[in-house]
Amino acid sequence: EKGEYKHFLHKEIHEQPKAIADTILGRLKFKGQNIWLEGIDTQKLKAINRVLIVACGTSFHSAMIGKQIIEEKAKIPVEIELASEFRYRNCILDKNTLVIGISQSGETADTIGALNSAKSRGMALLAICNAIDSAIARLCEDDAGIFYTRAGPEISVASTKAFTTQVAALHLLALTFAYLNKSLHKGEILKEIEKLKTIPKVIESVLACEKDIAKVAQNVASADHMLFLGRGILYPIALEGALKMKEISYLHAEGYAAGEMKHGPIALIDENMPVVVLAAKGQGYEKIVSNLEEVKARNGRVLVLCDKNDKKLIKRSDMNFLLPFCDSTILPFVAAIPLQLFAYHVALIRGTDVDQPRNLAKSVTVE
Ligand code: M6R
């Protein structure tokens, strides 16, 4: 089943171009004046003026990205809650709030618990889910509906293709909201979809640089700690990069909003702690350049993820992951890939059980 790959994780990372294409193509259409999103009762979305997303782990990181996309495209306020927190909190909800659950497995106990608690309060529910006919899918099917990510089976405990397809799903949902509340017109939405369709090709080009990423992994695999910094849409990507790293390589990694560094984590920086800085124009670029300088001034080793033409940052970095040019729509998908491969190669060097890390289960069906 693993084919040419040694690990499911590696195979699943490389499956992302197809998984994303399958999740996007033919899933959103216009039928006359109406918008159609597969699996979703768009009538139920018409009166929605607030969204709450619940999820855990990597799915929560895609929720963080979804918040930014929906707020930007559809101008609807979005709150995000860890499912484990939401279910025991008396969160303020009203009848025009849509509660979205995001889950790869559809069987995560905390997310099921959160959705059940929202359901008992009469809230409209929608699921973004990868596993067909799972508990979460069933909870939402007679409600606002289920948008299935088409990642295919994800076997490795660490989530990769489920994550990027969830972000794709959230894009389509944001565009649907934007049409329904007239934030965007049909022409603008079709243009956005064309842009999304280019993602698989761009990802292919990043996957082709795997050898360079593996070399960077050689340089840092013996570290005990690592920090991942990002701003804007790259902040959740930093959290996801750190989660992948700790989960499969057991190297202690923390993700932080770069602006928070000076509020504590800066105390950790020395020559032994590599700092991964995620930078892109439009995502607090100038500010993150100065964060990088702060790290360098404290003898930190800087690993920069940036545009391949960003000579200024490349010159200032000790190591780098270079991306082709991407605008903010494509950026989170593309930026996630080198960090997944990075964690994979560090794990290979450290000799951990990549597909089945200790103490973890693929779906967390207990609290
Ligand atoms: O199946 P789910 O998306 O509900 O799972 C949520 C988390 O348990 C999951 O994303 C976990 O954090 C992964 N192991 C991360 O790689």
Side-chain angles (χ1 to χ4, degrees):
E1 271 185 86
K2 281 181 255 179
E4 60 185 288
Y5 296 97
K6 209 168 140 206
H7 297 102
F8 281 109
L9 181 83
H10 198 208
K11 177 172 177 255
E12 288 161 8
I13 291 172
H14 281 266
E15 280 170 350
Q16 286 175 105
K18 180 175 183 319
I20 294 168
D22 289 347
T23 300
I24 293 168
L25 297 179
R27 310 294 301 280
L28 185 159
K29 289 180 188 156
F30 288 94
K31 296 191 171 171
Q33 292 306 305
N34 294 324
I35 193 160
W36 172 89
L37 183 63
E38 191 179 303
I40 304 301
D41 183 350
T42 48
Q43 286 303 321
K44 290 217 168 96
L45 305 187
K46 278 193 172 150
I48 295 303
N49 60 18
R50 182 171 165 243
V51 171
L52 177 89
I53 312 181
V54 291
C56 304
T58 287
S59 297
F60 183 75
H61 296 154
S62 72
M64 293 176 77
I65 296 175
K67 171 183 163 72
Q68 296 193 33
I69 303 169
I70 297 171
E71 290 188 344
E72 190 201 308
K73 304 282 178 219
K75 318 284 179 225
I76 297 175
V78 180
E79 280 165 75
I80 47 177
E81 285 260 355
L82 290 164
S84 55
E85 290 294 320
F86 171 81
R87 60 187 296 198
Y88 297 114
R89 211 164 79 76
N90 201 7
C91 187
I92 299 163
L93 297 169
D94 66 65
K95 63 177 183 5
N96 295 326
T97 303
L98 173 72
V99 178
I100 302 178
I102 307 181
S103 176
Q104 186 287 129
S105 62
E107 304 292 346
T108 299
D110 281 321
T111 313
I112 296 173
L115 290 172
N116 268 323
S117 125
K119 190 175 189 159
S120 68
R121 295 174 64 185
M123 306 310 303
L125 304 185
L126 185 150
I128 293 176
C129 191
N130 195 44
I132 292 169
D133 207 27
S134 53
I136 287 173
R138 286 197 302 271
L139 250 170
C140 302
E141 68 190 345
D142 295 326
D143 218 309
I146 314 149
F147 186 87
Y148 282 115
T149 46
R150 296 248 173 92
E154 195 182 62
I155 310 291
S156 170
V157 165
S159 187
T160 53
K161 59 179 181 170
F163 173 67
T164 43
T165 56
Q166 286 164 353
V167 178
L170 285 157
H171 258 285
L172 296 182
L173 194 62
L175 295 176
T176 305
F177 277 127
Y179 183 73
L180 292 171
N181 74 9
K182 302 192 167 56
S183 296
L184 293 178
H185 54 70
K186 186 174 162 183
E188 290 168 313
I189 289 170
L190 292 173
K191 238 191 195 158
E192 275 294 303
I193 294 176
E194 285 310 306
K195 220 189 264 175
L196 292 174
K197 285 189 193 162
T198 66
I199 293 168
K201 263 228 145 62
V202 186
I203 290 184
E204 297 279 8
S205 73
V206 177
L207 290 169
C209 301
E210 181 162 357
K211 280 209 176 86
D212 302 330
I213 297 166
K215 266 191 212 138
V216 174
Q218 290 283 354
N219 285 326
V220 295
S222 60
D224 292 322
H225 308 278
M226 215 183 264
L227 191 61
F228 287 69
L229 301 175
R231 286 176 180 262
I233 211 127
L234 292 177
Y235 162 43
I237 297 292
L239 295 182
E240 177 58 11
L243 177 61
K244 285 298 83 99
M245 187 59 80
K246 63 186 131 195
E247 186 174 31
I248 62 171
S249 79
Y250 313 155
L251 190 158
H252 172 224
E254 290 300 327
Y256 252 87
E260 282 291 296
M261 184 176 70
K262 59 184 168 301
H263 298 285
I266 199 165
L268 298 167
I269 292 171
D270 62 15
E271 63 283 4
N272 300 317
M273 189 172 75
V275 181
V276 184
V277 176
L278 315 183
K281 296 266 158 69
Q283 310 297 327
Y285 181 79
E286 297 302 334
K287 299 284 173 195
I288 203 138
V289 173
S290 50
N291 295 135
L292 181 150
E293 298 298 351
E294 286 155 12
V295 174
K296 284 189 82 78
R298 284 154 189 88
N299 295 322
R301 277 193 294 162
V302 190
L303 205 169
V304 176
L305 175 142
C306 66
D307 188 295
K308 65 176 191 286
N309 293 317
D310 192 335
K311 296 203 176 68
K312 175 166 120 186
L313 272 189
I314 296 171
K315 229 170 89 193
R316 288 178 184 174
S317 64
D318 297 301
M319 296 160 271
N320 42 60
F321 299 137
L322 301 179
L323 302 181
F325 170 77
C326 328
D327 77 354
S328 62
T329 301
I330 297 178
L331 183 63
F333 298 91
V334 179
I337 310 295
L339 302 186
Q340 295 169 348
L341 287 170
F342 180 43
Y344 175 64
H345 284 280
V346 170
L348 284 183
I349 297 164
R350 292 168 71 105
T352 51
D353 187 345
V354 172
D355 280 334
Q356 196 57 256
R358 66 185 178 206
N359 310 337
L360 284 169
K362 180 62 184 161
S363 56
V364 185
T365 52
V366 291
E367 270 193 63

